[in-house]
Amino acid sequence: MRRISPSIRHTLILAGVVALAVVVAVALAAGLGLSRAHHVLTRSGYSQEQLAIATRLEAEVNAYVARAALATAPRAAQERADDRAGIEALLAQYAASIRAEHRFLAEAGEKDDADSELATVRQLGALFADIRRDADRSIEPQALARDLDRFQHLVRATVAQERDEVAAALASFDRERGIVRSMAIGLPLAGGIAGVIGLMLLLGRLKHPLRRFEAAMAAVARGDSADLGGMGFAEFETLALGFDRMTREITAQRAALHQVNARLEGDVALRTAELQTRNSQLAEIEANRRLFFAQISHELRTPITALQCEAEVALRMPRPDVAMLRQALEQVLVQGSFARRRLNDLLTISQAEDGRLVMADKPFDLGDAVRAGLAMAEPFARASEARLESTIPGDPLPVHGDAGWMQQALLALLDNAIKFSPDAAVSVGLKRSADEAVLTIGDSGPGVPEAALTRLFDRFHQEPEGRARGGSGLGLSVARWVVDHHRGRIAASNRAGGGLCMTIALPLQQSSAFGGSMA
């Protein structure tokens, strides 16, 4: 169950209610204190009034007795009558004050000894009546002195009692005033302290969520995740929920963006690698083209120069004989065949790279193709004073592919073997081995290092010995390309007695469609 957090508005309303309660409490306390002080002052006023009346009554009675003893006859009656009237008025005023105080205390719900005080007033009236009678008769001075003494004793006791009441009232007033002063100072001070504490708590509850918001925003800015959770006030809870939703959306979008960036970076890296590979291939092709044209131009210059020389020699002779012309024509034929093979290599390479080269796919006898290739290579072998020795079975060796291209591959291998076997024999053997036809061509040359055997069929590759004897480095690569398209194998190895042996193995009795471009 989700906890319901208070809102800032409700908290402020509650704080306002508490502050109003404090103000009301201060006002009520002040009012109560003032009411109590007014009550004490009023009661003190009655007590002071009664004290003043009692003191004056004593003085008036003493003055009455003194004037009665000294007054002359004509004037004595009138003065005593006035003095009596004043003293009786004081007694009446005293009694009225006591009754007023009684009513005041009764309304306040307090008890007093008004009956006792009224009885004292009546007793004072009776004593004054005795003093007046004694003074009017002017007899028995001892009785007058005795009654006056009794009156003074009672008045003094009343005065002392009233003074005690005034002192008690003043003390009570001081207490009430102290209470009011304490409340007037203490309640606002306590309310202020409570307000300050409440404000500090409120600011603390406001500052903590704001700091969490600040830290969460900094975390999101750094790319980290942030979950605010509980934040205290309801308004901050709402903001936190919205912020968490926004953070989750930003995190999801950032993750998706990272994935897209990673995918794009991968695609860019892949495309860059492909472009680099293509560029490297293009650079290598361009370098190979330049090397090829440089070499092929050199190789074509030699047979063409030889052709021109043979023709010029023949033409200079005034009467050439048939044998000399026949020899010149044979040399022209040999050099022309050599130039034609170089041109065929050039055409093969250019067509293969353009993707326009197509091979036939039909059965043919590999023995017949080898015999035809040997016949084509015979003039070049005679010109190089090399001997072609062949062992070809009479039984047919059926394979599928292109007989013309297979003859071209054989001529390339024979050309290479004759070049390294001047005045020596070149052996050509063909046999059946299980389900394959195996063709071997061996020369009498120096062979090649074992480490270079696997590179002999690379385009434009030439060993130092081959470069010294001339050549373009294309013949063996053409032979491998033809064999690969016939689904066969080609390899080179050094012969035990010296020289190099080329081996071609082709599958027998299989029909396949061959086509494509030279790699």
Side-chain angles (χ1 to χ4, degrees):
M1 182 179 293
R2 184 168 176 256
R3 182 175 62 87
I4 300 177
S5 302
S7 65
I8 299 177
R9 178 172 173 268
H10 291 163
T11 302
L12 292 177
I13 291 175
L14 179 61
V17 170
V18 172
L20 180 61
V22 172
V23 172
V24 171
V26 171
L28 290 177
L32 180 61
L34 292 175
S35 176
R36 291 288 300 170
H38 178 266
H39 176 77
V40 172
L41 286 176
T42 302
R43 187 171 182 181
S44 175
Y46 283 120
S47 298
Q48 289 177 355
E49 180 184 8
Q50 293 169 14
L51 174 61
I53 293 173
T55 303
R56 184 181 175 187
L57 183 62
E58 181 182 7
E60 290 293 333
V61 171
N62 291 333
Y64 174 80
V65 173
R67 281 194 296 270
L70 299 175
T72 59
R75 202 175 164 188
Q78 184 62 38
E79 290 179 352
R80 283 198 297 270
D82 293 338
D83 291 339
R84 284 196 305 271
I87 291 173
E88 289 175 355
L90 286 176
L91 290 172
Q93 184 180 0
Y94 195 4
S97 178
I98 292 173
R99 292 188 184 93
E101 181 182 10
H102 175 70
R103 288 192 301 270
F104 173 74
L105 294 176
E107 290 175 358
E110 296 184 12
K111 294 182 179 181
D112 63 346
D113 53 351
D115 294 337
S116 175
E117 290 180 350
L118 289 175
T120 301
V121 172
R122 288 193 296 270
Q123 187 177 0
L124 288 173
L127 289 174
F128 177 68
D130 292 340
I131 292 171
R132 184 185 61 186
R133 185 180 61 250
D134 293 339
D136 289 344
R137 293 178 180 177
S138 299
I139 58 175
E140 295 183 2
Q142 295 82 1
L144 178 58
R146 185 175 57 252
D147 291 336
L148 181 59
D149 183 62
R150 290 173 58 194
F151 182 85
Q152 290 176 347
H153 178 74
L154 183 57
V155 167
R156 289 170 183 167
T158 302
V159 168
Q161 182 180 356
E162 294 299 337
R163 284 177 177 171
D164 292 339
E165 290 181 1
V166 170
L170 291 176
S172 179
F173 176 76
D174 290 337
R175 287 195 301 273
E176 294 296 334
R177 183 174 62 182
I179 293 173
V180 171
R181 183 169 57 248
S182 298
M183 294 179 67
I185 297 174
L187 287 179
L189 182 60
I193 294 174
V196 170
I197 294 174
L199 181 61
M200 292 177 64
L201 292 176
L202 178 61
L203 291 177
R205 294 194 66 185
L206 290 174
K207 187 184 297 183
H208 178 67
L210 293 177
R211 287 180 176 174
R212 290 187 62 187
F213 270 116
E214 183 179 0
M217 287 187 289
V220 173
R222 292 193 304 270
D224 300 333
S225 60
D227 188 6
L228 292 175
M231 294 293 287
F233 288 116
E235 291 83 356
F236 287 130
E237 287 283 354
T238 303
L239 288 175
L241 292 176
F243 185 86
D244 289 342
R245 284 196 302 271
M246 180 189 69
T247 302
R248 288 192 292 270
E249 292 176 359
I250 291 175
T251 302
Q253 293 175 359
R254 184 175 290 163
L257 183 60
H258 286 169
Q259 292 178 356
V260 172
N261 289 338
R263 187 166 60 253
L264 290 177
E265 289 177 358
D267 294 341
V268 169
L270 180 61
R271 298 295 182 270
T272 303
E274 292 178 354
L275 289 175
Q276 291 176 349
T277 302
R278 295 292 183 185
N279 289 335
S280 300
Q281 292 176 351
L282 289 175
E284 182 179 1
I285 290 173
E286 181 62 21
N288 291 336
R289 284 182 187 276
R290 292 185 179 184
L291 179 62
F292 168 74
F293 284 115
Q295 292 178 343
I296 203 68
S297 63
H298 175 73
E299 292 197 23
L300 289 177
R301 187 184 301 114
T302 300
I304 290 174
T305 302
L307 288 174
Q308 290 178 344
C309 292
E310 291 293 336
E312 290 175 355
V313 170
L315 290 175
R316 286 196 193 102
M317 295 183 65
R319 294 180 180 180
D321 56 9
V322 175
M324 187 273 296
L325 291 177
R326 185 177 185 82
Q327 183 180 2
L329 290 176
E330 287 179 354
Q331 289 296 326
V332 168
L333 178 61
V334 170
Q335 298 300 331
S337 298
F338 180 80
R340 184 168 62 89
R341 285 197 297 273
R342 296 286 80 82
L343 292 174
N344 287 337
D345 291 341
L346 177 61
L347 180 63
T348 299
I349 295 299
S350 63
Q351 289 179 344
E353 289 179 351
D354 290 340
R356 293 186 286 108
L357 185 61
V358 178
M359 287 188 179
D361 181 20
K362 59 183 180 181
F364 67 92
D365 184 7
L366 183 60
D368 293 341
V370 172
R371 294 186 188 94
L374 289 172
M376 294 174 63
E378 183 65 31
F380 181 67
R382 287 198 306 270
S384 299
E385 298 182 356
R387 300 186 307 277
L388 295 179
E389 300 176 354
S390 61
T391 303
I392 302 174
D395 296 335
L397 296 174
V399 296
H400 277 79
D402 193 311
W405 275 107
M406 185 54 64
Q407 291 174 10
Q408 184 67 24
L410 176 61
L411 285 173
L413 297 180
L414 289 174
D415 186 13
N416 185 76
I418 292 170
K419 183 170 57 177
F420 288 96
S421 302
D423 301 327
V426 174
S427 61
V428 178
L430 180 63
K431 65 179 180 179
R432 178 192 296 268
S433 176
D435 56 351
E436 289 182 332
V438 180
L439 174 64
T440 58
I441 300 172
D443 60 43
S444 302
V448 297
E450 293 294 331
L453 289 175
T454 57
R455 300 185 58 195
L456 285 179
F457 300 97
D458 293 345
R459 191 180 304 175
F460 303 121
H461 175 75
Q462 285 184 296
E463 290 297 312
E465 183 69 21
R467 190 177 302 111
R469 295 174 181 267
S472 61
L474 295 174
L476 297 183
S477 65
V478 171
R480 184 182 66 175
W481 179 76
V482 173
V483 172
D484 288 343
H485 280 75
H486 282 74
R487 298 182 182 274
R489 304 187 309 277
I490 186 170
S493 60
N494 288 311
R495 301 174 67 181
L500 190 68
C501 179
M502 300 288 184
T503 303
I504 295 176
L506 298 178
L508 293 172
Q509 296 180 351
Q510 291 186 5
S511 178
S512 301
F514 302 98
S517 59
M518 186 173 179

